[in-house]
Amino acid sequence: MQNKLDYKNIRKIGLVTKPNSNFDAEILEIKQSLEQRGIELLLLKQSSKALKLKSYDLDALFKQSDFLISLGGDGTLISLCRKAYEYDKALLGINAGRLGFLTDFKVEGAKQFFDEFFCGKFRIEKPFMLDLVLEMQGGKIIYKNAFNDVVFYRKHSQSMAHIEVYRNDKMFNQYFGDGLIISSPAGSTAYNLSANGPIVYTLAEVFILTPVCSHSLTQRPIVLPRGFELEVRASECIFCIDGQENFNMNDFKSVKVALSDKSVALIHPKNRDYFQILKEKLGWGN
C-alpha cells in the first residue's frame, strides 16, 4: 500500500457491516453517494439478506475491491484490519456503533466525505500492528497479527495468573495477578487505558506491556521500542487477540510478540486531529 491512495482510478469499493445488524438503509445511502461518481459498491455476503447487490465472501471482496468500508463500530473495523494487513488494502471506517474512536463520521457525513475524498482531500494513517508467533506444544507454528492487543488472563477466577516474559531467552519480567495486556499504540486507548496503561500516539513505533490488577504494587506499565521481541510463557491462562480470538495457553509452549514492520492503511478525513478525538471521545483534559 502506497502512502497515497490512487483515488482517481477507484472503480469498486467493498463494504462490510457489523455482523447480525440491519444497515440496509445506510448501505443504500452509501451506494447512492458512490454511484453518482461511477463507483460500484460490493457487499460482503453476510452484510444484507434483503438488498440485491453483488455479494462476495471476505477474501473475494478484498481481491475485487480497491479499498473497503467498515460500517459499524471499532470492533468491526479492527476485525477487518487483520485481513486488510494480509491483502495490503486500505480501510475506511464509518461509525454505526457507539464510541467510534477509530471511525471518524456517521453515514450522514458520508456524502461530504466522498465529495472531499474524490478531490484528493483525505489522509492515510498507517499504524503498526503486532506480530504474534504461536508455538504449540507439539511444535506447530501459527502466525497471527493483532491491531489492538493480545491479552493474557487467568483461566480460573479463584487463582492468580502467573505469566513469565522472556527476551533473548532471559527472564524479562514475571507477572502475578489477573493478567497482562500487550498493546499496540493504536490499542493503547482500549483495554490498556482501562487498566491504567499510558496513551501512546497511534503512529509511534513502540508497544506497551500493562499488568492487570497486579499482585505486586511495584509492577507498572512499560513502553518498549521496535526491535524488542518478547516471549510469553504461562499455564492455566487464556489469551485473546483483539478481543475476538481466544486460545488456551495450555495448548502452547509460548507466544512471541513484537511490533510489526508492516502497517494497515486507514483512510481519514483531511482535518482529522488525534488529540481532538481524545478530547471528544475520552473527555481527555476535562
Side-chain angles (χ1 to χ4, degrees):
M1 171 60 61
Q2 298 177 351
N3 287 330
K4 293 185 177 180
L5 189 63
D6 188 7
Y7 63 93
K8 293 181 179 179
N9 290 314
I10 288 172
R11 297 293 177 264
K12 297 179 180 180
I13 297 176
L15 186 143
V16 176
T17 65
K18 180 181 178 180
N20 303 315
S21 299
N22 184 353
F23 290 131
D24 289 357
E26 291 84 350
I27 292 170
L28 288 174
E29 188 171 342
I30 294 170
K31 179 176 181 289
Q32 184 178 16
S33 294
L34 294 175
E35 283 182 340
Q36 292 172 355
R37 299 166 175 85
I39 308 297
E40 183 180 6
L41 184 67
L42 311 180
L43 211 60
L44 182 69
K45 283 182 178 179
Q46 297 92 319
S47 293
S48 175
K49 295 179 180 179
L51 298 179
K52 304 301 181 183
L53 298 177
K54 285 187 179 179
S55 60
Y56 302 82
D57 64 33
L58 191 57
D59 287 287
L61 191 68
F62 269 96
K63 291 175 182 177
Q64 293 286 333
S65 305
D66 295 307
F67 74 83
L68 276 84
I69 295 171
S70 166
L71 178 61
D74 286 347
T76 309
L77 181 60
I78 288 168
S79 67
L80 276 183
C81 281
R82 298 197 295 275
K83 205 71 176 178
Y85 178 96
E86 178 184 340
Y87 279 97
D88 204 20
K89 294 287 179 75
L91 294 176
L92 169 67
I94 297 181
N95 185 23
R98 288 176 294 178
L99 180 63
F101 190 86
L102 298 171
T103 52
D104 296 297
F105 55 88
K106 291 185 176 291
V107 172
E108 50 265 32
K111 184 181 182 301
Q112 179 182 345
F113 172 80
F114 288 127
D115 285 342
E116 296 176 354
F117 176 86
F118 287 104
C119 290
K121 296 178 181 178
F122 64 94
R123 63 188 296 179
I124 288 183
E125 292 187 352
K126 303 181 75 175
F128 291 98
M129 298 179 69
L130 298 175
D131 282 340
L132 310 176
V133 181
L134 285 53
E135 183 178 354
M136 299 194 72
Q137 295 291 359
K140 181 181 177 181
I141 302 295
I142 300 173
Y143 298 94
K144 293 282 187 177
N145 299 103
F147 180 82
N148 261 1
D149 51 39
V150 53
V151 179
F152 301 83
Y153 57 94
R154 57 184 180 172
K155 188 175 181 180
H156 304 290
S157 60
Q158 66 271 24
S159 60
M160 286 192 301
H162 175 202
I163 299 165
E164 298 179 345
V165 180
Y166 294 81
R167 179 174 182 249
N168 297 331
D169 291 324
K170 294 181 179 179
M171 176 69 75
F172 176 82
N173 204 349
Q174 296 186 75
Y175 297 91
F176 296 89
D178 282 4
L180 174 68
I181 304 164
I182 304 182
S183 169
S184 70
S188 70
T189 50
Y191 190 14
N192 168 75
L193 185 61
S194 297
N196 291 319
I199 295 174
V200 175
Y201 182 60
T202 308
L203 304 181
E205 297 190 30
V206 297
F207 64 106
I208 311 140
L209 274 70
T210 300
V212 182
C213 296
S214 175
H215 183 62
S216 170
L217 296 179
T218 61
Q219 291 283 16
R220 290 291 182 268
I222 184 169
V223 179
L224 298 174
R226 172 179 300 288
F228 273 60
E229 181 183 68
L230 300 179
E231 182 176 5
V232 180
R233 303 174 191 171
S235 60
E236 302 306 317
C237 283
I238 303 295
F239 68 95
C240 184
I241 299 173
D242 283 339
Q244 297 171 348
E245 290 187 85
N246 287 285
F247 301 87
N248 189 335
M249 196 66 194
N250 287 347
D251 296 331
F252 296 87
K253 180 180 176 182
S254 69
V255 176
K256 293 180 180 178
V257 186
L259 191 69
S260 177
D261 290 329
K262 288 181 64 179
S263 56
V264 60
L266 300 180
I267 303 169
H268 294 293
K270 185 74 173 179
N271 62 353
R272 185 179 196 264
D273 184 334
Y274 175 76
F275 298 101
Q276 184 62 32
I277 291 170
L278 289 180
K279 295 174 185 177
E280 292 174 359
K281 305 290 187 179
L282 303 180
W284 190 55
N286 293 339

